[in-house]
Amino acid sequence: MRDPYEVLGVSKAASEAEIKKAFRALAKTHHPDTHAGDKNAQKKFQEISGAYEIVGDKEKRAKFDAGEIDAAGNPRGFDPRQGGGGFHPGGGPFGGGQGARDFHFTWDNSGETAEGFSAEDIFADLLGGRARRGRQQPARGEDFTVSTTISFDEAARGGTRRVMVPNGEQIDVKIPVGVKDGQQVRVKGRGGAGRNGGPPGDILIQIAVAPHPTLSRDGNDIRMDLPVTLKEAVLGAKVQVPTLTGTVALSVPPNSNTGTTLRLKGKGIAPPNATPGDLYVKLIVTLPEKPDADLAKFAEGWMADYEPRAKQK
């Protein structure tokens, strides 16, 4: 992965606010929803999200700046494509090509030996093992833990994400609908192999959800701000609102103010076996960016017979 600062286009001295602002701008530009079917846009968005996961987190940013982790969040020097080290019977821990299996130790000058007492037994004792070769107990395999960052939409709607586990294997993980930031997804039986006939371990996927440029989550509800024109706010209108299941028409009541919140029932997150949440749309009355002569002329002749700051007195 590229340097996360380079991906986000910020310097290493950038503040948290600058990093967040850069991420939001890039995420809005490259969001998959605005590039339907464009795999390059999806790849770019994932790269942006991965970079923000590193430098947008105080602890991870400090470790990256100190050279303790790389751009993927792995410890420096860690290569997931390589197998782990450790003791391998027959691999020659004592320098012999055939290993130390069946190496016999003489107890005294009589030549008496401890038959079948091997280097494996020595290592078992050092590691606290009590079972001897031929009567070892089954042991469950190691659990693998990996982290991945998904988009807001992936978390809300579910999907499939390919991840690499420490043994170098790549697997497709099913992302459940409604998964939350910080939640763990377990893939049973795909971890390290069991020992002496024991069951395999699991893979634990630590989920991080990248923030959305315009949407936020509140339980299973979704909240968003929606800009509307002055005319739409005063006279009322039908406006288009994007939802998780497509664009819908929302009725803006006449004389709506900034802060007026409208509800679209059932348009939030819908986890299995749970009541779907709602989409709450807060209206933001927005004037044109460029001066409007007609609007200015109207305002000059308008008798604004109300006090907008009365409640603040």
Side-chain angles (χ1 to χ4, degrees), residues 279-298:
L279 173 61
Y280 288 89
V281 181
K282 184 170 74 172
L283 302 181
I284 306 295
V285 180
T286 307
L287 295 178
E289 293 184 4
K290 294 182 180 180
D292 186 310
D294 290 338
L295 180 58
K297 184 177 180 181
F298 164 77

Side-chain angles (χ1 to χ4, degrees), residues 2-305:
R2 289 197 295 148
D3 184 295
Y5 292 107
E6 181 183 340
V7 172
L8 296 177
V10 297
S11 70
K12 290 188 176 181
S15 66
E16 292 181 30
E18 290 172 332
I19 291 174
K20 187 173 183 179
K21 181 179 180 180
F23 167 75
R24 286 185 176 276
L26 289 170
K28 190 171 183 179
T29 300
H30 299 283
H31 199 278
D33 283 355
T34 61
H35 301 275
D38 188 342
K39 293 184 177 180
N40 289 329
Q42 184 177 8
K43 184 177 180 181
K44 179 67 175 178
F45 181 79
Q46 291 174 359
E47 182 184 35
I48 294 167
S49 299
Y52 185 72
E53 182 186 359
I54 297 297
V55 298
D57 182 286
K58 286 185 179 180
E59 184 177 345
K60 290 182 181 179
R61 183 183 182 184
K63 289 183 177 181
F64 177 78
D65 290 345
E68 296 177 16
I69 62 174
D70 60 19
N74 295 317
R76 290 287 183 182
F78 171 78
D79 186 349
R81 297 169 297 179
Q82 301 296 324
F87 171 70
H88 299 279
F94 291 103
Q98 297 300 317
R101 193 177 184 87
D102 298 326
F103 185 94
H104 294 86
F105 295 87
T106 300
W107 293 114
D108 54 38
N109 293 330
S110 68
E112 183 178 354
T113 59
E115 295 295 333
F117 192 69
S118 71
E120 293 177 56
D121 299 313
I122 297 174
F123 275 81
D125 283 340
L126 290 175
L127 296 174
R130 295 182 178 275
R132 287 292 181 261
R133 183 180 51 188
R135 54 190 179 88
Q136 293 177 340
Q137 298 297 317
R140 184 176 178 275
E142 177 187 4
D143 287 339
F144 294 149
T145 301
V146 297
S147 300
T148 189
T149 299
I150 62 176
S151 69
F152 184 93
D153 290 340
E154 285 179 290
R157 294 187 289 199
T160 302
R161 172 60 66 93
R162 176 161 294 186
V163 299
M164 177 178 285
V165 294
N167 65 0
E169 181 183 6
Q170 292 190 21
I171 65 169
D172 290 329
V173 178
K174 184 177 180 181
I175 304 299
V177 174
V179 67
K180 298 179 180 179
D181 183 67
Q183 191 171 338
Q184 210 172 59
V185 175
R186 182 183 296 269
V187 182
K188 292 187 176 181
R190 297 295 299 274
R195 297 178 294 280
N196 307 313
D202 301 333
I203 298 176
L204 306 176
I205 313 296
Q206 192 71 29
I207 301 294
V209 180
H212 193 280
T214 58
L215 304 178
S216 62
R217 181 171 180 173
D218 181 7
N220 287 332
D221 295 331
I222 295 176
R223 296 184 178 276
M224 69 175 294
D225 293 345
L226 182 69
V228 293
T229 66
L230 181 61
K231 182 177 180 179
E232 290 169 337
V234 173
L235 302 180
K238 288 277 189 181
V239 296
Q240 300 298 305
V241 178
T243 73
L244 296 176
T245 55
T247 302
V248 300
L250 174 69
S251 295
V252 176
N255 202 39
S256 291
N257 253 320
T258 289
T260 298
T261 300
L262 307 175
R263 183 179 72 154
L264 290 172
K265 189 175 181 180
K267 292 300 182 179
I269 298 171
N273 305 318
T275 302
D278 301 327
L279 173 61
Y280 288 89
V281 181
K282 184 170 74 172
L283 302 181
I284 306 295
V285 180
T286 307
L287 295 178
E289 293 184 4
K290 294 182 180 180
D292 186 310
D294 290 338
L295 180 58
K297 184 177 180 181
F298 164 77
E300 287 174 355
W302 179 39
M303 299 295 293
D305 190 18

